[in-house]
Amino acid sequence: MPVPLFASSLDEYQPRIAEKLAEVARSGRYILGPEVAGFEDAFARYLGVRHCVGVANGTDALTIALRAVGVKPGDDVVLPSFTFYATAEAVVTVGARPVFCDIDPTTFCVTAETIEAAVTARTTAIVPVHLFGNVAPMDELERFGLPLVEDAAQAAGATYRGRRAGALGTAATFSFFPSKNLPCLGDGGAVVTDDDDVAALARRLRFHGSEDKRTFTEVGYNSRLDELQAAVLSLLLPELDGWNERRRTAAATYERLGLGDHAELPVPVAGAEHVYHLYVVRNERLEGVGTGYYRVPCHLQPAMREWGADALELPGTREAALTNVALPMGKDLTEAQIEEVVKACASGST
Ligand SMILES: Cc1ncc(COP(=O)(O)O)c(C=O)c1O
């Protein structure tokens, strides 16, 4: 039996999910009703922020958050090249210029030094990505005095120096894609912030730039989290911390069973409590046991040629792109499965 890369199942929650979905279906409220408001409230409280705005997916969340913190067409936005493509795509969607910075290949996250090398006089925002469930060193990034938009798509529930990922920057974005640590049953996302004005603009932008459906003050989007997804998210949110604990146990088991003899293991950023959305090690010879996750960094993607061609030297990105391999991870990964993966790594690593 091959071990699945995403070893998480919602099987035990299906009866409660079905009941909840039927209740919402009967309610006749499908768009921006009580379920969305209830989830926004619960998720904001969970993170320790004042506002949560539910949107259609994590990519729209980034686009909307960038505009909401004031990024304008022609601005420069600094982001890591080693991330899911959507991070870069959102910068281009708002008309800004992506300036790709490097990462520390041991954490897969940006550092103050890699960002410093990329900041220009035209930079109006920085997007630290909490990649694979790690948390970028946010305290060190405040020195730039620029809005920080955390891409927390992969880091629901992670903490940094005792605060949640998502509560560390000017605004943050989440994805609730089904494979994420906090999943829904399709696409979903959120923008979160402590700033009242950023929240108000994000709220308008998700609904065509309007507060009241009559006056349209911005050209926005139709990008709403829907009632069915919000209902599922409210049901699953109380499980998130327990699930993340199981992911951390699985990571510790990989280590205990000797995986470190066969690959460079993931390193949490100092002060971060990692939530292992993905368990990504470094040893390219393990491709086949696991999956090379981001082999071609964003600045080398064909669609990014205009901004990638004259990108800075990114040696950490090159190293990570060549060597990264995602191994099975999830709340339901068993010790026997981990043993099997470690054995396969032992025979595949030489
Ligand atoms: C780091 C990162 N940013 C952004 C996104 C985009 O989220 P979505 O797929 O919900 O649009 C993802 C999701 O795959 C992601 O992993």
Side-chain angles (χ1 to χ4, degrees):
M1 265 293 268
V3 182
L5 184 62
F6 291 96
S8 293
S9 156
L10 291 179
D11 283 356
E12 67 180 287
Y13 301 94
Q14 290 304 348
R16 285 169 61 202
I17 290 172
E19 201 178 305
K20 190 73 207 174
L21 291 178
E23 188 189 304
V24 177
R26 277 192 304 267
S27 77
R29 295 288 303 273
Y30 305 130
I31 300 286
L32 297 184
E35 293 295 340
V36 170
F39 173 69
E40 288 177 341
D41 216 49
F43 197 48
R45 258 185 288 119
Y46 171 84
L47 295 173
V49 294
R50 285 164 52 78
H51 306 280
C52 170
V53 180
V55 298
N57 54 67
T59 310
D60 284 3
L62 279 162
T63 305
I64 289 171
L66 287 167
R67 283 186 62 183
V69 303
V71 173
K72 299 274 185 301
D75 291 354
D76 282 359
V77 172
V78 174
L79 76 159
S81 176
F82 194 76
T83 176
F84 180 56
Y85 174 73
T87 319
E89 192 176 43
V91 173
V92 175
T93 300
V94 303
R97 185 173 83 104
V99 180
F100 295 104
C101 75
D102 210 3
I103 51 155
D104 173 349
T106 69
T107 63
F108 298 111
C109 285
V110 299
T111 67
E113 290 70 34
T114 67
I115 288 192
E116 186 150 31
V119 168
T120 70
R122 287 195 308 273
T123 304
T124 56
I126 297 168
V127 186
V129 180
H130 303 322
L131 204 67
F132 302 144
N134 211 348
V135 187
M138 294 296 293
D139 280 2
E140 297 167 25
L141 309 186
E142 278 165 18
R143 71 157 94 134
F144 299 105
L146 288 163
L148 300 173
V149 177
E150 301 169 69
D151 182 344
Q154 301 187 3
T159 63
Y160 175 75
R161 305 204 162 135
R163 288 155 66 209
R164 297 274 182 204
L168 305 164
T170 314
T173 63
F174 287 88
S175 164
F176 307 120
F177 186 84
S179 63
K180 295 293 193 275
N181 290 35
L182 177 62
C184 64
L185 304 185
D187 279 312
V191 176
V192 303
T193 182
D194 261 337
D195 185 306
D196 295 351
D197 296 332
V198 170
L201 181 49
R203 217 168 267 288
R204 291 199 300 278
L205 288 173
R206 81 167 165 187
F207 185 80
H208 306 288
S210 180
E211 259 169 27
D212 59 5
K213 306 187 189 178
R214 287 186 179 81
T215 306
F216 298 86
T217 47
E218 289 88 18
V219 174
Y221 311 91
N222 178 357
S223 181
R224 301 169 298 225
L225 182 66
D226 71 62
E227 287 285 288
L228 289 163
Q229 300 304 347
V232 172
L233 287 164
S234 288
L235 201 148
L236 298 180
L237 178 59
E239 311 296 327
L240 179 61
D241 285 346
W243 291 345
N244 283 340
E245 197 49 52
R246 282 156 66 175
R247 288 171 180 270
R248 277 192 288 272
T249 301
T253 306
Y254 270 125
E255 208 168 328
R256 176 165 53 79
L257 296 183
L259 184 64
D261 296 339
H262 316 299
E264 301 296 326
L265 303 186
V267 176
V269 165
E273 194 175 43
H274 206 304
V275 289
Y276 299 101
H277 168 59
L278 285 154
Y279 190 78
V280 180
V281 301
R282 285 184 301 129
N283 181 347
E284 63 280 16
R285 288 187 296 269
L286 297 182
E287 173 97 62
V289 179
T291 305
Y293 214 71
Y294 299 130
R295 276 284 174 262
V296 181
C298 290
H299 75 287
L300 298 178
Q301 293 293 345
M304 291 291 143
R305 201 171 294 129
E306 184 177 341
W307 308 280
D310 59 356
L312 301 162
E313 275 295 299
L314 305 175
T317 299
R318 191 181 323 114
E319 156 76 16
L322 282 172
T323 58
N324 80 89
V325 171
L327 296 178
M329 173 49 76
K331 70 180 180 63
D332 298 315
L333 194 65
T334 64
E335 178 146 350
Q337 287 176 314
I338 296 172
E339 242 172 70
E340 203 176 311
V341 175
V342 174
K343 261 192 217 141
C345 289
S347 50
S349 64
T350 48

